[in-house]
Amino acid sequence: KLFAIFAFATCGGYSGGLRLSVDCVNKTESNLSIDIAFAYPFRLQQVTFEVPTCEGKERQKLALTGDSSSSAEFFVTVAVFAFLYSLAATVVYIFFQNKYRENNRGPLIDFIVTVVFSFLWLVGSSAWAKGLSDVKVATDPKEVLLLMSACKQPSNKCMAVHSPVMSSLNTSVVFGFLNFILWAGNIWFVFKETGWHSSGQRYLSDPMEKHSSSYNQGGYNQDSYGSSSGYSQQASLGPSSDEFGQQSSGPASFTNQI
């Protein structure tokens, strides 16, 4: 949840700008502080500003180029909905654990939503990374100076006073891919809660149980065979002792008869 908050906060809350200066040959026509401000959702073609032409008091109205609003808004939308779903899932895990596991419906929904958000984080982060690259090019002071007609004359001096700071936007892209890694890694843990994982475990355990039961039956037969053979051997020894007894009783009866 925290990474999702950082992702949409660093992107959706951004506002920046740059400052340029145009020093004309006629100093009265110069403008040494031209401020150009832009912000989320980065519809740069709507950002307009006026610059001197260094040809009298005439001024030139220009606008930045490019529009990265679609990728930026998609990225922020994914981050917001991911945060809301994470918040709702946390409440369900804590207070409605029994209903979550009832009929295995909760884990299946959680698994599907996790897979979808993993895909959306990957697409959104990749698209926003490309959109941020376009924003950096469009707001590069060197690129903006090329739009001014006064800067095409060597006699005039055009320069950038300061460039826009993009550190928070770079951070938003990093948090976007971190969210993708976290959601993709969470797929396995959510899958373990579903019935698909338990059914797969039973499918793997059935052949092992059959193999172990057949082995135990084989061991039992060998034991019973060993015990029966031992018994038969003892039985076969029994009659020999009786016969020996009968043979020894012969002379005794003969003596009695005498």
Side-chain angles (χ1 to χ4, degrees), residues 158-169:
C158 301
M159 59 181 299
V161 178
H162 69 76
S163 301
V165 179
M166 299 287 188
S167 57
S168 62
L169 297 181

Side-chain angles (χ1 to χ4, degrees), residues 28-86:
T28 58
E29 300 173 357
S30 301
N31 188 346
L32 303 180
S33 181
I34 304 173
D35 292 320
I36 304 173
F38 59 94
Y40 173 85
F42 307 103
R43 293 186 177 92
L44 301 180
Q45 80 278 7
Q46 298 179 3
V47 178
T48 60
F49 55 98
E50 292 184 351
V51 297
T53 59
C54 296
E55 296 177 356
K57 295 183 179 180
E58 184 181 356
R59 301 182 67 83
Q60 182 183 14
K61 188 174 183 179
L62 298 174
L64 297 177
T65 59
D67 184 2
S68 300
S69 60
S70 59
S71 59
E73 289 175 342
F74 179 75
F75 178 79
V76 171
T77 301
V78 171
V80 170
F81 278 102
F83 167 73
L84 293 177
Y85 177 77
S86 300

Side-chain angles (χ1 to χ4, degrees), residues 219-241:
Y220 176 77
N221 293 332
Q222 291 178 0
D223 295 340
S224 61
Y225 175 78
S227 61
S228 61
S229 62
Y231 177 78
S232 61
Q233 289 177 0
Q234 292 177 359
S236 62
L237 291 175
S240 61
S241 61

Side-chain angles (χ1 to χ4, degrees), residues 115-133:
V115 172
V116 171
F117 268 112
S118 299
F119 176 74
L120 292 178
W121 273 117
L122 177 61
V123 174
S125 300
S126 301
W128 172 228
K130 176 60 171 61
L132 177 57
S133 177

